[in-house]
Amino acid sequence: MTDGTRPNENERAAASPPLPPYAAGPQSAPPPPQPQGAPTPPVHPAPLPPYAAPGGPAAYGAPRQDYPGAPPTWGPPMGGPAPGAPWNAGAPQSGSSVLAVLALVASVLGVLISFIPFVGSALAWALFATAIILAIIALVKKTPGKGMSIAALIITCAGFLLSIVWAVVLFAIGAFGSAVSSGSSSGSEYSPAPDDDYYSYPMLGTPDFGADGNTISAPLVPGSTITITDDNVSQDVWELTVLPFEDLTAAAAATGDLEPAFGAYVGVPVQLTNVTDETIDLAVDYAYLPYTRFLTADGGEAELTYLSDIETYPSAWDVEVVEPGETVTFYEVYDLAPDAVGSGFYVLDLDSGQTVFWGAAAL
């Protein structure tokens, strides 16, 4: 320093007085030496701050910094649970939604019903449409059971195609069966020979017996008899006689029948005599049964009535077997007003188109 120059670092260090003890700052005193053979005391970790957990969020009450540069704050971490609440993000959802289950059930039912002939396809398509709608809603809402919804869509598509194929197969089977049936019937049409004996329905008619009975202006009187023929084979079948009309009102009341609505029960007795050489069974050969009605003066028809005393007053439908030469009698009973009997007409309609009238009767 005598030469006017600044001292270097070594010179300054040598010239500086020594620092007093502990001037450099507080230092921890070394632990006293342990005697040889003494046990080593256990080392315990420092306790954690309140509400803190290893790997968890910051402790409640400990300072935290929400973003870089923000001042330290105290309290639970942002978005964290309340003090003392467990740190749990929630269990994952599991199971299947009702929509997915219903969609799967509808698709399976549609496949099973599609095998029912004819009506099965329409019902199956309705179930398929339901399954598609439910499955799509379940997928859009992201409800549990995604796999079931996808399975329902796959089964529905497959079932729809299967129902179409099945309908085409049934249609082809029906068309083939109809063609076979038509071909077999046309190839085996029965053409009887002239001398073959086969059944034919009769065409009932009556020979021209003059002007009387053919019109309302000239009716037959009760008690008149006509002959009925089968025009198909030109053979006489019946001799038909219309007997005088009878008042059956009292007889009907005695057997418990209801009272007539128009005043009287009028019975028209009809006799049939079998003039053929064969037995006529009207229960089987009902085409041989004549059709009759009662026509009132105003052009209406009287109501036909069935009395309960069928043994005394049998109807035409109670007559069954008529042997050759046998005569049977049946009653046609009408609900009429007593004064309408004389102005009305008993009418016989025949298959040949002829009509026979009886009138001018009185009770």
Side-chain angles (χ1 to χ4, degrees):
M1 299 198 40
T2 56
D3 57 1
T5 61
R6 299 178 63 181
N8 57 23
E9 296 296 331
N10 295 329
E11 291 175 347
R12 285 186 298 178
S16 298
L19 294 175
Y22 308 109
Q27 294 181 0
S28 299
Q34 296 291 334
Q36 293 183 358
T40 304
V43 179
H44 299 281
L48 294 174
Y51 302 107
Y60 183 80
R64 60 181 174 82
Q65 189 175 22
D66 294 333
Y67 55 90
T73 57
W74 284 261
M78 296 183 64
W87 184 264
N88 188 4
Q93 295 182 349
S94 62
S96 301
S97 70
V98 176
L99 293 176
V101 174
L102 292 178
L104 184 61
V105 172
S107 63
V108 174
L109 286 178
V111 173
L112 297 178
I113 293 177
S114 64
F115 287 98
I116 301 176
F118 306 112
V119 299
S121 297
L123 296 176
W125 292 347
L127 289 172
F128 290 153
T130 303
I132 291 176
I133 294 174
L134 294 177
I136 291 177
I137 294 176
L139 291 175
V140 170
K141 289 186 175 182
K142 297 181 180 180
T143 59
K146 178 180 179 182
M148 298 182 69
S149 301
I150 296 176
L153 292 176
I154 296 174
I155 295 174
T156 298
C157 294
F160 182 74
L161 295 177
L162 181 63
S163 64
I164 294 177
V165 173
W166 181 239
V168 172
V169 171
L170 289 178
F171 177 80
I173 293 175
F176 178 76
S178 177
V180 171
S181 176
S182 177
S184 61
S185 61
S186 61
S188 60
E189 185 174 355
Y190 176 67
S191 300
D195 56 348
D196 282 351
D197 186 13
Y198 65 97
Y199 179 82
S200 65
Y201 286 94
M203 178 69 71
L204 296 184
T206 184
D208 186 8
F209 49 85
D212 292 344
N214 288 327
T215 62
I216 292 179
S217 59
L220 295 174
V221 296
S224 302
T225 301
I226 63 173
T227 301
I228 299 177
T229 62
D230 183 357
D231 291 348
N232 281 339
V233 294
S234 300
Q235 179 183 0
D236 294 342
V237 178
W238 301 112
E239 284 185 355
L240 185 145
T241 304
V242 176
L243 300 176
F245 301 172
E246 300 180 18
D247 187 351
L248 303 179
T249 306
T255 56
D257 290 306
L258 297 176
E259 294 183 1
F262 297 98
Y265 285 130
V266 178
V268 180
V270 179
Q271 285 185 347
L272 283 179
T273 301
N274 183 359
V275 296
T276 68
D277 297 332
E278 299 177 355
T279 300
I280 299 178
D281 187 355
L282 293 178
V284 178
D285 302 328
Y286 53 86
Y288 283 100
L289 184 65
Y291 176 76
T292 59
R293 55 195 173 95
F294 195 96
L295 187 65
T296 58
D298 58 359
E301 292 189 8
E303 182 179 356
L304 187 64
T305 304
Y306 185 82
L307 298 182
S308 59
D309 190 2
I310 61 175
E311 294 182 359
T312 305
Y313 307 102
S315 69
W317 297 105
D318 297 318
V319 179
E320 296 182 356
V321 178
V322 183
E323 301 292 341
E326 181 183 3
T327 300
V328 296
T329 302
F330 62 87
Y331 285 77
E332 299 282 32
V333 182
Y334 301 95
D335 188 350
L336 283 169
D339 57 353
V341 178
S343 60
F345 303 91
Y346 184 72
V347 182
L348 171 65
D349 295 316
L350 298 172
D351 298 333
S352 61
Q354 293 176 304
T355 304
V356 184
F357 298 92
W358 285 263
L363 293 178

